[in-house]
Amino acid sequence: MSNEARRFHVAVVGATGAVGQTMLAILAERNFPISKLTLLASERSAGQQVDFEGDKITIQDLATFDPAGVEIALFSAGGGISKEFAPKFAAAGAVVIDNSSTFRYDDDVPLVVSEVNPEAARNRPRGIIANPNCSTMQLMPVLAPIHREYGIERINIATYQSVSGAGQTGMEELGKQTAQLLGFQEIEPKKFPMQIAFNLIPHIDEFLDNGFTKEEMKLVWETRKILGDDSI
Ligand SMILES: NC(=O)c1ccc[n+]([C@@H]2O[C@H](COP(=O)([O-])OP(=O)(O)OC[C@H]3O[C@@H](n4cnc5c(N)ncnc54)[C@H](OP(=O)(O)O)[C@@H]3O)[C@@H](O)[C@H]2O)c1
């Protein structure tokens, strides 16, 4: 029997985005055992080349890509794309790890933080594993041991989120407005509803009927699911 470690055909969906680029950097940094790396985005970026560990990999158009043979698919191209394409990749045999909020609250999709509930990833009836919102994700390793030991009833959380949470176009708007304002020029907000350079907007995502925003409620819903306790 060969001692060679198993390697995987990995696909990154949304490979040109802020999250996709970070995923690629981490796959390289961790020396993840990859036999083949497939990079996917929209037709806008198809044909572009991306460097990965010295190799040039051509971005392919997700819409026309056949997922047969992909073993692990990392999805980070927005909820609508996950909803349409993640089931197709799973049906073709891939384990899908989805970064959007599309499947997070479905009972038959595990919501996993690897340091907290890794065992949940084994039970994935739809072939999809969701990961939580970035704020929930980093809180869980800290809160889970406290909850296990003492039980948590209530958590007061304040987050200060960077514009990178709004993706590549968010970061570009911050850079552009900063340069314009320092050059005494007019700015024209596009991605954010108002000036973002030298500013802080106390609002992310839409308001819900209970007066909280969806971004705030994600913390509540996801914490309960990951810690397995609806009373928090
Ligand atoms: N940024 C964060 O901190 C964060 C945190 C948690 C979760 N997420 C999730 O990750 C997603 C991506 O975030 P991001 O910050 O990386 O956004 P982004 O910088 O705007 O990148 C979006 C990516 O999706 C691709 N894409 C867009 N439309 C597509 C289509 N029709 N078909 C195939 N690919 C398409 C884009 O490809 P093109 O180059 O072709 O446009 C790009 O690679 C978010 O929508 C969210 O679901 C983000």
Side-chain angles (χ1 to χ4, degrees), residues 13-21 23 40-46 48 59-63 75-79 81-82 85 98-102 104 131-134 162-171 191:
V13 179
T16 52
V19 176
Q21 289 290 305
M23 284 175 170
L40 299 156
S42 77
E43 62 176 354
R44 287 183 295 274
S45 302
Q48 284 177 18
I59 303 282
Q60 300 182 63
D61 181 1
L62 174 68
F75 268 73
S76 189
I81 300 294
S82 293
F85 290 94
D98 184 42
N99 204 24
S100 80
S101 60
T102 304
R104 285 179 194 158
N131 70 17
N133 176 275
C134 40
S162 55
V163 290
S164 60
Q168 205 72 50
T169 48
M171 291 188 276
K191 176 80 180 173

Side-chain angles (χ1 to χ4, degrees), residues 109-181:
V109 174
L111 182 60
V112 175
V113 177
S114 54
E115 297 85 351
V116 174
N117 60 341
E119 68 292 341
R122 293 212 177 87
N123 182 16
R124 40 172 199 273
R126 285 158 71 185
I128 301 172
I129 299 166
N131 70 17
N133 176 275
C134 40
S135 306
T136 317
M137 173 109 65
Q138 53 195 305
L139 278 165
M140 289 303 103
V142 181
L143 294 179
I146 300 173
H147 186 58
R148 265 186 232 119
E149 197 66 21
Y150 302 106
I152 292 176
E153 282 174 18
R154 183 188 168 88
I155 312 164
N156 292 305
I157 300 166
T159 69
Y160 303 88
Q161 303 198 15
S162 55
V163 290
S164 60
Q168 205 72 50
T169 48
M171 291 188 276
E172 282 162 14
E173 183 149 313
L174 173 67
K176 191 173 167 198
Q177 285 186 8
T178 303
Q180 286 172 327
L181 290 168

Side-chain angles (χ1 to χ4, degrees), residues 156-217:
N156 292 305
I157 300 166
T159 69
Y160 303 88
Q161 303 198 15
S162 55
V163 290
S164 60
Q168 205 72 50
T169 48
M171 291 188 276
E172 282 162 14
E173 183 149 313
L174 173 67
K176 191 173 167 198
Q177 285 186 8
T178 303
Q180 286 172 327
L181 290 168
L182 291 175
F184 302 102
Q185 291 169 6
E186 294 286 321
I187 57 141
E188 190 194 343
K190 283 200 183 118
K191 176 80 180 173
F192 298 97
M194 55 200 70
Q195 176 184 322
I196 187 66
F198 309 106
N199 198 8
L200 183 146
I201 303 173
H203 172 195
I204 304 178
D205 212 327
E206 62 193 277
F207 275 99
L208 302 176
D209 289 343
N210 65 2
F212 287 99
T213 63
K214 206 165 166 193
E215 182 79 359
E216 291 168 325
M217 287 312 294

